[in-house]
Short mmCIF file of all heavy atoms in Angstrom, two decimals:
data_model
loop_
_atom_site.label_atom_id
_atom_site.label_comp_id
_atom_site.label_asym_id
_atom_site.label_seq_id
_atom_site.Cartn_x
_atom_site.Cartn_y
_atom_site.Cartn_z
N ARG A 132 -87.20 52.44 58.38
CA ARG A 132 -88.03 51.52 57.61
C ARG A 132 -87.19 50.35 57.07
O ARG A 132 -86.15 50.55 56.47
CB ARG A 132 -88.69 52.29 56.46
CG ARG A 132 -89.60 53.38 56.97
CD ARG A 132 -90.21 54.18 55.86
NE ARG A 132 -91.03 55.24 56.41
CZ ARG A 132 -91.48 56.27 55.70
NH1 ARG A 132 -91.20 56.35 54.42
NH2 ARG A 132 -92.21 57.19 56.27
N GLU A 133 -87.68 49.17 57.29
CA GLU A 133 -86.96 47.93 56.95
C GLU A 133 -86.54 47.90 55.48
O GLU A 133 -85.48 47.36 55.14
CB GLU A 133 -87.81 46.70 57.27
CG GLU A 133 -88.02 46.47 58.75
CD GLU A 133 -86.77 45.99 59.45
OE1 GLU A 133 -85.97 45.24 58.85
OE2 GLU A 133 -86.59 46.37 60.64
N ALA A 134 -87.37 48.44 54.60
CA ALA A 134 -87.08 48.39 53.16
C ALA A 134 -85.78 49.10 52.79
O ALA A 134 -85.20 48.82 51.74
CB ALA A 134 -88.24 49.03 52.38
N TYR A 135 -85.28 49.97 53.66
CA TYR A 135 -84.08 50.74 53.36
C TYR A 135 -82.81 50.12 53.99
O TYR A 135 -81.71 50.53 53.66
CB TYR A 135 -84.19 52.18 53.82
CG TYR A 135 -85.48 52.84 53.39
CD1 TYR A 135 -86.17 53.70 54.21
CD2 TYR A 135 -86.01 52.58 52.12
CE1 TYR A 135 -87.35 54.32 53.80
CE2 TYR A 135 -87.21 53.16 51.72
CZ TYR A 135 -87.85 54.02 52.56
OH TYR A 135 -89.03 54.61 52.15
N HIS A 136 -82.98 49.15 54.88
CA HIS A 136 -81.83 48.60 55.58
C HIS A 136 -80.87 47.85 54.63
O HIS A 136 -79.65 48.06 54.72
CB HIS A 136 -82.28 47.69 56.73
CG HIS A 136 -82.89 48.45 57.85
ND1 HIS A 136 -83.14 47.88 59.07
CD2 HIS A 136 -83.30 49.75 57.97
CE1 HIS A 136 -83.68 48.77 59.88
NE2 HIS A 136 -83.79 49.92 59.22
N LEU A 137 -81.38 47.00 53.78
CA LEU A 137 -80.51 46.28 52.88
C LEU A 137 -79.79 47.20 51.89
O LEU A 137 -78.56 47.10 51.75
CB LEU A 137 -81.29 45.19 52.12
CG LEU A 137 -80.44 44.30 51.19
CD1 LEU A 137 -79.34 43.60 51.96
CD2 LEU A 137 -81.32 43.29 50.51
N PRO A 138 -80.48 48.12 51.23
CA PRO A 138 -79.73 49.04 50.34
C PRO A 138 -78.67 49.85 51.10
O PRO A 138 -77.58 50.09 50.56
CB PRO A 138 -80.81 49.96 49.77
CG PRO A 138 -82.08 49.22 49.92
CD PRO A 138 -81.93 48.34 51.13
N LEU A 139 -78.95 50.25 52.33
CA LEU A 139 -77.94 50.97 53.11
C LEU A 139 -76.75 50.08 53.42
O LEU A 139 -75.59 50.49 53.30
CB LEU A 139 -78.56 51.49 54.41
CG LEU A 139 -79.31 52.80 54.32
CD1 LEU A 139 -80.12 53.04 55.58
CD2 LEU A 139 -78.35 53.96 54.08
N ARG A 140 -77.02 48.85 53.83
CA ARG A 140 -75.92 47.93 54.17
C ARG A 140 -75.11 47.52 52.95
O ARG A 140 -73.95 47.17 53.06
CB ARG A 140 -76.46 46.74 54.93
CG ARG A 140 -76.87 47.14 56.35
CD ARG A 140 -77.09 45.94 57.24
NE ARG A 140 -77.24 46.38 58.62
CZ ARG A 140 -78.38 46.81 59.19
NH1 ARG A 140 -79.48 46.87 58.45
NH2 ARG A 140 -78.40 47.19 60.43
N ASP A 141 -75.73 47.56 51.77
CA ASP A 141 -75.00 47.29 50.55
C ASP A 141 -73.92 48.35 50.30
O ASP A 141 -72.94 48.11 49.62
CB ASP A 141 -75.93 47.23 49.32
CG ASP A 141 -76.74 45.95 49.28
OD1 ASP A 141 -76.40 44.97 50.00
OD2 ASP A 141 -77.75 45.91 48.54
N CYS A 142 -74.14 49.53 50.86
CA CYS A 142 -73.18 50.64 50.72
C CYS A 142 -72.06 50.57 51.73
O CYS A 142 -70.98 51.09 51.52
CB CYS A 142 -73.90 51.98 50.88
SG CYS A 142 -75.15 52.30 49.64
N GLY A 143 -72.30 49.98 52.88
CA GLY A 143 -71.30 49.92 53.94
C GLY A 143 -71.97 49.70 55.28
O GLY A 143 -72.99 49.06 55.37
#
Side-chain angles (χ1 to χ4, degrees):
R132 297 178 182 166
E133 292 288 326
Y135 310 142
H136 290 192
L137 183 58
L139 277 167
R140 287 194 170 85
D141 285 344
C142 297

